[in-house]
Amino acid sequence: MLLNVNPTRMELLRIKKRLKIAQRGHKLLKDKQDELLRQLLSMIEEVKNLRTEIENKFQSILEGFMLAKAKMGPFQTEQELVSPVKEINVSITEKNIVSVKVPVFEKEVSGEMIPYGFLNTSGETDVSLIKFEKFLESLFSLAEKEKAVHLLANQIEETRRRVNALEYKLMPDLDETINFITMKLEETERSSIVRLMKVKDIVRKH
Amino acid sequence: MKAKIAAFGEKDIMLIFKAIGIEVFPASKNLRLEEQLEKLIKEGYAVIFITENVALKASALIKKYMNKTLPSIVVIPGLGKKENFAVDLLRQAVVRAMGVDLFAENG
């Protein structure tokens, strides 16, 4: 679509400048998109495996825990677990992947996993809790990586839209307008020459 | 920055999170789940573990916060049947980003 401008030399220069900037921006954004895609691709496989692993493991842990709970009675279990000794401190830092800010969790664990005495509790509870403790590490790394994948995917989509807008809308529009103005200028030039020749002819006849 | 961690879901599953010192919020049936989850987010929990059954009911809210840096909402499988909610979310994100379903291809 033609831009709404006056066909003047000034305007032509201005639009040529705009086109140049658009081209540069397009190249940069394209590079950014490529890099983002590369990052995402390297991450996807990992996240997928981690996710499947966690789903399977967690379910088996949970089942173990439920059985243990059933053995001990729900009320008893709740009472034993009501004051946890273990403490998890997580600090967040931000990592910058191609100007996408991705959270990184660092956790500090202190205290024992099992908050109760051995007298009234069953061995199964211990086992499932200890399993769960080991499992935590991957749970946090999943939290981190899954977030990263979502953020990257979102950013890629956004960048792609921008690249496309430049490539298929702005740049062709500018091209067309430049063409239009050049033609128009040439046309006015020709018409003024013709006019001059005509005038000269008339002058000569007298 | 210090982060707060929360776990949100059915009461039975919450017990195991309680044992490791994570703040737990059993899903109560009286309030709407989305409201409860939104409250947790507003309170500034950086990591929220949420069980799949609950996540399914609050999926609109989870999608809304998916593209924010924080919080990181992690869907964990609950008891019973798996619905693959988290995997579907990932798949959708990847499809939107690349236009190709990379998840299905390999798995």
Side-chain angles (χ1 to χ4, degrees):
Chain A
M1 208 184 68
L2 210 57
L3 297 184
N4 185 19
V5 289
N6 295 325
T8 60
R9 218 164 273 281
M10 270 280 276
E11 213 49 62
L12 182 65
L13 284 173
R14 213 174 57 84
I15 288 172
K16 273 189 177 163
K17 216 180 262 170
R18 265 183 80 189
L19 181 64
K20 225 173 225 160
I21 291 171
Q23 275 164 345
R24 222 176 76 203
H26 176 254
K27 194 182 160 289
L28 280 172
L29 280 172
K30 198 108 193 176
D31 286 352
K32 180 183 174 187
Q33 191 191 12
D34 287 346
E35 176 60 19
L36 281 171
L37 276 173
R38 203 179 62 80
Q39 295 278 358
L40 185 69
L41 277 173
S42 69
M43 229 179 265
I44 279 177
E45 198 66 18
E46 212 183 325
V47 170
K48 207 177 74 183
N49 292 338
L50 202 58
R51 167 54 76 179
T52 349
E53 189 194 321
I54 279 178
E55 301 235 321
N56 295 334
K57 254 198 202 154
F58 188 70
Q59 205 140 30
S60 74
I61 289 173
L62 213 52
E63 270 160 18
F65 183 69
M66 285 299 147
L67 282 178
K69 193 181 141 197
K71 213 168 178 182
M72 252 162 57
F75 186 68
Q76 177 78 17
T77 321
E78 225 179 305
Q79 216 168 30
E80 300 291 357
L81 294 176
V82 86
S83 50
V85 196
K86 198 175 175 69
E87 217 179 296
I88 298 184
N89 280 317
V90 173
S91 57
I92 315 175
T93 42
E94 273 181 352
K95 202 170 81 179
N96 200 333
I97 305 179
V98 205
S99 79
V100 181
K101 290 206 173 63
V102 171
V104 177
F105 302 120
E106 267 168 61
K107 70 176 171 57
E108 246 173 67
V109 183
S110 58
E112 274 297 310
M113 182 65 199
I114 294 168
Y116 45 73
F118 294 113
L119 188 57
N120 293 322
T121 52
S122 68
E124 282 96 333
T125 326
D126 304 356
V127 171
S128 55
L129 282 182
I130 287 166
K131 266 194 203 156
F132 188 56
E133 184 185 17
K134 285 185 190 136
F135 176 71
L136 260 184
E137 187 77 42
S138 40
L139 209 54
F140 275 98
S141 105
L142 180 74
E144 193 178 298
K145 297 210 167 92
E146 222 173 41
K147 194 83 210 172
V149 165
H150 280 305
L151 289 171
L152 277 179
N154 192 45
Q155 190 64 34
I156 286 172
E157 198 193 355
E158 209 171 277
T159 316
R160 204 188 46 212
R161 275 167 170 275
R162 282 196 199 154
V163 168
N164 284 352
L166 279 177
E167 190 172 341
Y168 296 110
K169 181 81 185 110
L170 190 63
M171 275 154 56
D173 280 3
L174 290 177
D175 262 334
E176 202 180 327
T177 314
I178 287 172
N179 232 342
F180 164 72
I181 296 179
T182 340
M183 302 272 239
K184 201 84 178 176
L185 285 177
E186 281 171 9
E187 188 62 32
T188 33
E189 202 174 322
R190 274 194 294 275
S191 80
S192 68
I193 287 178
V194 169
R195 202 181 309 118
L196 271 179
M197 283 161 74
K198 262 277 185 274
V199 170
K200 246 185 165 175
D201 251 11
I202 297 170
V203 170
R204 202 170 290 149
K205 266 180 195 152
H206 280 286
Chain B
M1 197 169 79
K2 265 256 163 24
K4 293 199 286 180
I5 315 162
F8 181 55
E10 293 97 323
K11 195 164 177 248
D12 288 346
I13 300 171
M14 287 304 103
L15 270 178
I16 198 166
F17 280 100
K18 178 99 189 174
I20 51 169
I22 289 175
E23 284 179 74
V24 295
F25 299 88
S28 97
K29 289 191 181 88
N30 302 328
L31 274 161
R32 281 181 54 234
L33 288 171
E34 299 213 348
E35 274 166 30
Q36 292 174 56
L37 182 58
E38 183 127 48
K39 204 173 146 229
L40 289 183
I41 295 168
K42 291 266 156 66
E43 278 170 22
Y45 286 95
V47 185
I48 299 173
F49 295 109
I50 183 167
T51 55
E52 193 161 48
N53 292 333
V54 177
L56 279 171
K57 283 172 197 146
S59 61
L61 197 66
I62 290 174
K63 278 179 192 147
K64 191 174 135 199
Y65 283 99
M66 210 167 62
N67 296 324
K68 304 261 166 65
T69 316
L70 290 174
S72 177
I73 300 176
V74 185
V75 181
I76 50 170
L79 287 168
K81 214 171 83 212
K82 274 197 286 184
E83 301 281 350
N84 287 329
F85 179 72
V87 178
D88 281 345
L89 276 185
L90 274 176
R91 175 176 299 147
Q92 278 168 24
V94 171
V95 169
R96 268 190 308 146
M98 327 243 219
V100 188
D101 193 350
L102 278 175
F103 271 65
E105 210 174 39
N106 306 323

